[in-house]
Amino acid sequence: MNVIKRRRVRGGLLTLAVAMGVAAVTPADMPWRNTAVTATAAESTAATSTTATSANAADHTRLRALLRRLTTVDGAPGALVEVRNRHGGSSVLTSGVADVKSHARIHRDSRFRIGSVTKSFVATVVLQLVGEHRVALDAPVERYLPGVVRGHGNDGRRITARQLLQHTSGVPDILDYLTPREILEDPLAHHDTRDLVNIALAHPPTFKPGTGWRYSNTGYLLAGMLIEKVTGHTYGEEIRRRVIAPLGLRETYVPGDAPSIPGPHPRGYVRPGEDAPLMDITEINPSVAGPSGS
C-alpha cells in the first residue's frame, strides 16, 4: 500500500518515512520493512511550517538531530518527517537526498510505501467482518480456508483468526525462506499469495499455536486470503471500500501489481550483499508482500 498524503490527525508526530522506500539488507527486511543502507548523502535539512512555538522549535531541533543521524551515522540516503497539530499547523523536515546519483533533495510532498503498516488496514477489515458476524476470531482458520494450512506440523484446525492477527499462530514467516536475492532476480514478477504461503508452510511452525509470539508475515498473507474467501472480493477492494473511502484517504491506495510510485518520491535501494554496491529497486511488484505489506 502506498501513502501519498496523510490526513490531519490529533497530536504531533504523524509519520516518519526513511527515504529508501523498499531498501533492505537481510531476508527479514525484504521488502516489507524499511531499513538503513550505507550511502554517501550530503545533509540538506529543510523545514516548511505554518505555525511555530518555542515548544515546536525545540521539538524540531531534536527531530533535525534525529534525521541527521539517520542520514549520516545510520547510513540512510535520506529521511523525511512530517508533524501536524490539531490546529492545522504542519511542518516537514527532510535530511539527505532522494537520489544518490543526482543528489536531488527530498520533496516535502514525497510519496512513499508504508510496508507493514498495511497489516493495520488488513486487521481492521477482519475485525469489521467479525463485527458483522461473518468471521469468528476464535474459530479455526480451517473454517474459512479449508485445507490451506496443512503440512510439516502446520494445522489450520488448531490456529485461530485471532492468532493470525496477533502473531501468536506459530506459522513460519515467509521472509525466513524467501531471500532478497530471489526477489531481485525479477523484481517486477507477480507473486500469488497462495504460492507465498505454501513456501512458508513447507517448513515447521515456530511454536505450538497460542504458546508464544513471533512476527509472521505469513499470518497476514493468510488474513488477506481469509478476507477474500469470506467476501468474494480481493483484500485491496475491501480495504478501499471499508477504510480508504469512508475516511476520505484520497491519496492512499492499494497498488496491486503496479510497480511505480506516482508523483515525487525518493529512490529506493537495496544492498544485496555485505560488500555489494547499492541497487536501485524503486520499482518492484508489491504483490511480493501482498496483504502483509504491499
Side-chain angles (χ1 to χ4, degrees), residues 131-151:
E132 296 166 7
H133 306 290
R134 300 171 71 181
V135 171
L137 274 178
D138 294 312
V141 173
E142 181 77 8
R143 176 184 298 183
Y144 309 104
L145 299 172
V148 171
V149 184
R150 293 291 180 87

Side-chain angles (χ1 to χ4, degrees), residues 93-104:
L93 308 175
T94 68
S95 181
V97 297
D99 186 320
V100 298
K101 290 185 177 179
S102 69
H103 299 288

Side-chain angles (χ1 to χ4, degrees), residues 64-80:
R64 287 192 184 95
L66 173 62
L67 294 183
R68 186 175 186 279
R69 177 182 175 87
L70 282 172
T71 57
T72 54
V73 177
D74 293 337
L80 176 151

Side-chain angles (χ1 to χ4, degrees), residues 3 6 12-17 80-84 112 114:
V3 169
R6 288 67 59 198
L13 183 63
L14 180 61
T15 183
L16 172 63
L80 176 151
V81 61
E82 178 174 2
V83 182
R84 298 187 184 186
F112 55 90
I114 65 170

Side-chain angles (χ1 to χ4, degrees), residues 40-117:
T40 301
E43 182 189 8
S44 57
T45 303
T48 302
S49 181
T50 57
T51 62
T53 66
S54 58
N56 285 341
D59 288 341
H60 291 172
T61 298
R62 290 192 289 270
L63 285 172
R64 287 192 184 95
L66 173 62
L67 294 183
R68 186 175 186 279
R69 177 182 175 87
L70 282 172
T71 57
T72 54
V73 177
D74 293 337
L80 176 151
V81 61
E82 178 174 2
V83 182
R84 298 187 184 186
N85 61 46
R86 68 186 67 191
H87 305 296
S90 66
S91 300
V92 176
L93 308 175
T94 68
S95 181
V97 297
D99 186 320
V100 298
K101 290 185 177 179
S102 69
H103 299 288
R105 289 190 176 189
I106 299 171
H107 195 285
R108 71 178 305 277
D109 195 30
S110 289
R111 282 75 166 156
F112 55 90
R113 305 185 193 277
I114 65 170
S116 279
V117 179

